[in-house]
Amino acid sequence: MNTSVGKDTMHLNPPPAPNTPRTVSVTYACGDERRGPLTMGQANMIRCILRDDPEHINNHDVWAVPSGTSVEGAIDALRTLALRHEGLRTTFPHAPGTAPVEQVVAAEGTFTVTVVDHTEFPEEPARYAESVARAARAGRFALDREFPLRISLLTLGGVPVHAALASSHAVTDGSALAVLREEFLALLAGEELPPPASFAPLDLAAQEASPTGKRKSEASLRYWERIIRTEPQEMFAEPRAAGADGRARQLTLRSGRGARALASAAGRIGNPEATVLLAAWCALVAHRSGQDSCVTAVPTSNRFHPTIARSVNTLSQDALLCLDVRVPSFDTLVRKTWGAALNAYRHSQFDSVRLWEMIDRVTGERGSHFARDVVFNDVSVLPATLLSISPQESRAAELDLTWGPFQALPTRMLAFTYETAPQLHLSLWADPALFTPGEAEGFLTGLVRLLEAAAIRDVPLESLTGVTGVGQAVRGRDWTRVDGCWVSPSAVQDALGAAVGGLPVHIATDAGGSGLTAYIARGGDTAPTPTGVHEALMAALPAHGGSGVIAPARYVLVESPPAERDRSDAWRRLQIIEEGTGRSRQVRHER
């Protein structure tokens, strides 16, 4: 195994100073203006764009320009893409301080290309180009007027070598960028592109607003609510999670061994490679986190329908996969994964505003915040794949692990699968508070080992530590399962005590792990109510998961604490002044 722990492959020698960049204005004209409502995916991403750091939200890509291409030829190809795809000519008018509710497709317009010429490139030109594209992600796109691509054409002695670009997530996602890259290269090769076969954004919006589209959205909301109401709210609820700072380094695996093992396992079990890989991922995530089920977002699911498979549009709406891993063996899990994945894919079209209203309501009732801890994005199965920039010498590696740069991580664990043959090629971003560099490498190596074992036999899931080398999360004796979640009653007690201003608090675990009961001594002139206590605790919890904190199912108010404050039976003997769930609706336990 080749590895480079601690080596940041993005730290290159400073590139030679380029000549002064020049800006080229590119005009286009293509017919009539169109306007209409947003798609669900656009509304979802615009909500994030207006709220989050642009470096979290904007995308980037690098397109290698074939030799023999002129600057004019590259710019003509970019103009053709703008003419071909309505999404690239789309803006979102709105008044300051409001969110857009419609999109406008321009009939004509102008965009710019920055041409940056060099007398020489640094030693790794592709990685240099990636750094240029990544830097362009900084700064919000002006949704109401800006062209959604920021394009730099990097030239060497006047000859284009790379197009480095950042894109607005309101218009493109990673798969859309891959489609654009594929078509850009085809145009430069002199090919004639067929008419687009997938929906333009306005056409998709019309389909979503149809009676059929509305029924699909309603079904998706019901599916999500069942998972949010009954499954783990944090996959990585453990003591180490408290140290997260929201940044992680990219770790890339390239493995011929992994590809051969995946193909053999899929053949032996009789399921598609994508299903086997997803099952292996879920098995290892659930094993590492010590959970009975794996709840993971799988964002590429909604590109499997032909009408949107190659759409240059943002289709970024999660499919939420919930896979119960309480089965004896890997083969059984693979067979469950197929149905669970299809169920998730069918329920990945929804009104994002209503979805988050539902999540806020349900988690408020449950007493937690839903944490989107795990994301698995398999783009290898799409018509056009989004391959990351990589040194060519790594292509034939049996098992190669390479560290890349730090970047903002709005989740605990993110994986992209770029290809499964002739090598297994994926990148992992794992929260360094939860995974040391060695543990992150061990996780990807363990994934390959699991596939190798599954290629020759049915693997008992109870043997995953020995088979993969990946251990489970370590939690103290205080931690317990409550309402399907790992919870630290002492952490709940500390959080609740702080939320009620330091009043004496005691947390008791109800029989069978069905919930927690909080005892609060009112004292003095302070007269909290169950509703007020619950609201104060919910307001104090971190917005993206409380690292083992879930609100008690019941609040019991007493006058004064007992002499033995750490004994639940002493609190239970006190006279109750008031008690209740603190919720506006009765809490339901359906797990």
Side-chain angles (χ1 to χ4, degrees), residues 132-430:
V132 173
R134 189 181 294 276
R137 292 173 64 154
R140 298 184 190 279
F141 278 84
L143 296 173
D144 59 339
R145 62 184 182 277
E146 188 174 354
F147 189 72
L149 301 179
R150 296 170 181 162
I151 308 167
S152 292
L153 194 60
L154 307 180
T155 63
L156 183 62
V159 177
V161 178
H162 288 103
L165 63 154
S167 70
S168 168
H169 215 330
V171 169
T172 65
D173 54 22
S175 299
L177 284 176
V179 171
L180 290 173
R181 183 207 302 127
E182 183 182 286
E183 294 184 348
F184 176 74
L185 296 177
L187 289 168
L188 293 181
E191 298 177 20
E192 183 175 344
L193 298 178
S198 294
F199 281 150
L202 282 171
D203 301 322
L204 178 59
Q207 187 273 332
E208 291 174 341
S210 69
T212 299
K214 291 179 178 178
R215 285 194 296 271
K216 289 179 65 175
S217 179
E218 291 296 325
S220 295
L221 292 176
R222 291 192 296 271
Y223 169 85
W224 276 69
E225 180 168 352
R226 181 189 63 78
I227 295 173
I228 299 299
R229 193 177 286 282
T230 62
E231 296 297 333
Q233 293 291 272
E234 298 178 82
M235 285 301 296
F236 293 105
E238 57 185 85
R240 292 168 66 180
D245 69 356
R247 284 165 47 83
R249 291 181 70 190
Q250 180 178 1
L251 175 60
T252 297
L253 167 75
R254 297 178 181 85
S255 177
R257 282 172 47 190
R260 293 192 298 273
L262 177 58
S264 296
R268 185 187 66 79
I269 301 171
N271 281 88
E273 291 183 9
T275 304
V276 175
L277 181 60
L278 180 57
W281 165 264
C282 289
L284 209 53
V285 169
H287 171 72
R288 162 61 182 78
S289 59
Q291 300 283 12
D292 289 339
S293 58
C294 180
V295 178
T296 181
V298 280
T300 55
S301 63
N302 46 16
R303 279 192 176 266
F304 283 81
H305 195 281
T307 59
I308 50 180
R310 294 183 59 85
S311 178
V312 174
N313 185 14
T314 185
L315 300 175
S316 294
Q317 290 190 278
D318 285 343
L320 189 65
L321 173 69
C322 180
L323 183 61
D324 190 331
V325 299
R326 291 174 293 182
V327 294
S329 69
F330 185 69
D331 287 12
T332 306
L333 186 66
V334 171
R335 288 189 283 271
K336 287 189 64 174
T337 302
W338 173 256
L342 289 179
N343 205 22
Y345 299 162
R346 284 197 300 267
H347 297 103
S348 59
Q349 177 180 310
F350 46 78
D351 181 326
S352 61
V353 172
R354 290 189 61 202
L355 177 77
W356 281 103
E357 288 174 348
M358 178 274 292
I359 290 175
D360 289 345
R361 171 177 53 81
V362 171
T363 54
E365 293 168 9
R366 195 173 181 190
S368 61
H369 289 305
F370 172 65
R372 186 176 178 264
D373 271 357
V374 183
V375 179
F376 184 77
N377 215 359
D378 187 352
V379 298
S380 69
V381 295
L382 298 177
T385 59
L386 180 66
L387 292 176
S388 64
I389 300 302
S390 58
Q392 293 301 307
E393 61 268 21
S394 297
R395 301 292 293 176
E398 281 296 276
L399 200 159
D400 181 87
L401 293 168
T402 306
W403 285 96
F406 275 99
Q407 68 182 65
L409 185 73
T411 186
R412 298 288 197 181
M413 197 175 200
L414 165 67
F416 269 83
T417 301
Y418 302 112
E419 60 180 344
T420 56
Q423 64 177 355
L424 179 59
H425 176 194
L426 60 85
S427 288
L428 172 71
W429 291 261

Side-chain angles (χ1 to χ4, degrees), residues 29-43:
C30 53
D32 298 328
E33 177 184 292
R34 292 218 295 161
R35 66 175 57 221
L38 304 179
T39 68
M40 292 179 179
Q42 287 172 334

Side-chain angles (χ1 to χ4, degrees), residues 48-192:
C48 298
I49 288 168
L50 296 175
R51 179 193 64 199
D52 296 339
D53 187 321
E55 291 191 47
H56 293 195
I57 299 300
N58 296 337
N59 298 310
H60 75 280
D61 200 6
V62 175
W63 303 344
V65 180
S67 60
T69 301
S70 65
V71 170
E72 293 75 16
I75 290 176
D76 283 344
L78 292 168
R79 179 189 288 109
T80 299
L81 294 178
L83 293 169
R84 177 177 171 81
H85 295 292
E86 288 191 359
L88 298 183
R89 294 180 274 115
T90 296
T91 54
F92 305 92
H94 60 287
T98 66
V101 295
E102 70 168 351
Q103 56 182 310
V104 176
V105 180
E108 58 184 18
T110 302
F111 64 92
T112 61
V113 176
T114 302
V115 180
V116 188
D117 194 34
H118 301 74
T119 56
E120 61 178 316
F121 276 146
E123 294 179 0
E124 298 184 69
R127 294 198 183 280
Y128 163 60
E130 167 127 336
S131 70
V132 173
R134 189 181 294 276
R137 292 173 64 154
R140 298 184 190 279
F141 278 84
L143 296 173
D144 59 339
R145 62 184 182 277
E146 188 174 354
F147 189 72
L149 301 179
R150 296 170 181 162
I151 308 167
S152 292
L153 194 60
L154 307 180
T155 63
L156 183 62
V159 177
V161 178
H162 288 103
L165 63 154
S167 70
S168 168
H169 215 330
V171 169
T172 65
D173 54 22
S175 299
L177 284 176
V179 171
L180 290 173
R181 183 207 302 127
E182 183 182 286
E183 294 184 348
F184 176 74
L185 296 177
L187 289 168
L188 293 181
E191 298 177 20
E192 183 175 344

Side-chain angles (χ1 to χ4, degrees), residues 479-499:
W479 287 70
T480 185
R481 287 186 190 272
V482 173
D483 191 23
C485 302
W486 278 109
V487 175
S488 168
S490 63
V492 176
Q493 184 164 308
D494 291 344
L496 182 58

